Amino acid sequence: MEPLGGTRLAKVDFGTSDPEPLVNRWTIKCLGLAAALPLFVACDDAPAFETGDVDAGSESARSTSDVLVVVFETRQAGAGVGVGAGEGVGVGVGVGLGVGAGAGVGVGVGVGVGVGVGATQWLVESGRLVLARGSDVGAWATGPARLVQRGDPKGDGLFVAHKDLLRSSLPAALTAIVGTEVKVFDDTREVCVARVATSDRFSLDAKLVHLPDSWNEDETPVAPNHEAADVFERGLPLLSAELVPLMGDCGRGIWATPVTAPRPTLFREEVLAPKLTRKAIAAFRALPAWHDAQSAMQNFWVDSPMPGYLKGKRWDTLDSAKPEATLYRSHDGTRELVVVHSNSAQGCGSEGQEVTTLFELVTAGKDTRFVEIASLPWQSAPGGIVDLEGDGMLELYTGSAPGKVPTALRLERWHPEAPAASQDNGWEDKRHEAVHELRIPDLTSWGCGC
């Protein structure tokens, strides 16, 4: 494998036909997803995001004469290993790709091992701090399971079972968290400051979701039924700690961090000026990932000529699809990121494609540059972006929008140069790395994906 390669820059001038080559270097850092945002100014004192239309003087609203597209031709993740305490029980390994201003190129690798002590971030589920999850937490239980919530077939279908805790069996690393003061965040802001309650208010529960299989209109939906033992067997067991709010509403939180942890950088979706939206889409269409998707569309009809309706068409506008550009601005106004996404796929047998690109938006004078951080095919647009530790690394909320669906939370790193799923790697898509994930099993049958 070739070493980490050179950076190729191509300037796209929308007013002339003679592109001017430029030279630049950018530091490649981890595009991380660590699952919690560190210290923020307390709740109501938190810096406010701008709302409404973009200010005429902001980077995202300025009229620009050209767009610089920066393509990173990385080939290998390099050295740098660190070991430290991590969230929950288990081991996490991560390699990420990101962008920061400055000279030099490098890639880092991080390893986290731990059961909660010394952790810098935890997930929050239903207003409680998640200390551990998975089948191993059953070793700390005593007595039979009992069902405390039966899934509402017309609601969220959530089943919850409970077991009593044998607190004397809990590792000291878990009980040491008692009394810790934490700040709790949703996907865009700090929502509360709280103290971890005593261990007698720890709880061991298991959860699963099962709604009636109503996709088949020819059959009458039957409400699912699960006993407590089955919920522990097929659901997600969770050991959680109660949070005693000192300020704010912790019930809306999705992750937490000690009040002494480094301050995070939060991002909120903002309005992107129409002219800059057009230039973002033009930058998107100049990328290798876009052209790969275009070739895939054109080569879809392998054994027969390409249908006439595809000739001269772009993959990102097939079947009424269109690219969409979304601006994310940091709470301190120092960074602007643009996500461009298009999906023209219409199910099985469709020649449509899907690509999501994350750009860093950099403005210097009249020049606006779209620096490609990552591009992934068949990837939905992220539900949000965050820099968990304020260190320049970016973390993305993927899958369901954060805080909207109680069954899934995923914070992810993207590795665009890693291999896609194949027989060679056991069908594991190594371009995605879940740094923190909490997924309550959903046993609902949703029918054929086609």
Side-chain angles (χ1 to χ4, degrees), residues 101-367:
V105 176
V107 173
V109 180
V111 180
V113 182
V115 290
V117 63
T120 57
Q121 296 135 5
W122 303 269
L123 297 183
V124 173
E125 196 272 330
S126 298
R128 299 180 64 89
L129 200 70
V130 177
L131 300 179
R133 57 191 179 274
S135 58
D136 290 345
V137 304
W140 306 322
T142 181
R146 58 185 183 273
L147 197 67
V148 296
Q149 179 176 325
R150 189 177 300 277
D152 181 357
K154 296 182 179 180
D156 57 14
L158 181 65
F159 288 80
V160 182
H162 177 81
K163 285 185 178 181
D164 291 332
L165 264 177
L166 184 62
R167 286 190 293 276
S168 61
S169 69
L170 290 174
L174 289 177
T175 56
I177 197 175
V178 168
T180 300
E181 292 188 357
V182 299
K183 293 194 173 187
V184 180
F185 300 82
D186 63 12
D187 56 318
T188 60
R189 66 186 296 270
E190 181 185 306
V191 296
C192 85
V193 177
R195 182 179 294 116
V196 179
T198 55
S199 61
D200 62 340
R201 290 157 82 174
F202 286 7
S203 184
L204 201 163
D205 305 282
K207 301 185 178 185
L208 64 80
V209 170
H210 198 168
L211 289 165
D213 302 335
S214 58
W215 64 274
N216 190 341
E217 297 179 356
D218 297 331
E219 298 180 3
T220 302
V222 177
N225 184 41
H226 295 278
E227 300 299 327
D230 188 44
V231 176
F232 266 92
E233 178 68 24
R234 305 177 70 185
L236 175 67
L238 295 165
L239 176 68
S240 63
E242 182 177 338
L243 292 173
V244 180
L246 304 177
M247 184 186 304
D249 178 9
C250 299
R252 295 163 45 218
I254 56 179
W255 64 268
T257 187
V259 294
T260 55
R263 177 175 175 169
T265 302
L266 305 176
F267 289 82
R268 176 175 287 182
E269 184 177 334
E270 298 284 1
V271 175
L272 185 61
K275 189 171 184 177
L276 200 54
T277 296
R278 292 192 295 271
K279 292 186 176 183
I281 293 171
F284 176 61
R285 287 172 172 166
L287 296 175
W290 189 94
H291 287 281
D292 288 345
Q294 182 74 3
S295 296
M297 178 198 76
Q298 293 170 339
N299 296 331
F300 180 83
W301 302 89
V302 177
D303 299 324
S304 60
M306 183 174 64
Y309 71 86
L310 288 181
K311 296 184 185 300
K313 299 290 187 180
R314 295 188 175 110
W315 70 264
D316 59 8
T317 56
L318 290 181
D319 296 318
S320 301
K322 64 178 182 179
E324 295 183 351
T326 304
L327 170 68
Y328 289 91
R329 182 181 293 126
S330 63
H331 73 271
D332 57 7
T334 60
R335 295 190 76 177
E336 290 187 312
L337 307 168
V338 174
V339 173
V340 183
H341 167 261
S342 190
N343 181 9
S344 59
Q346 298 290 320
C348 297
S350 166
E351 59 274 288
Q353 304 291 314
E354 181 178 20
V355 176
T356 293
T357 292
L358 176 63
F359 287 111
E360 180 102 33
L361 180 59
V362 181
T363 301
K366 294 184 178 181
D367 289 334

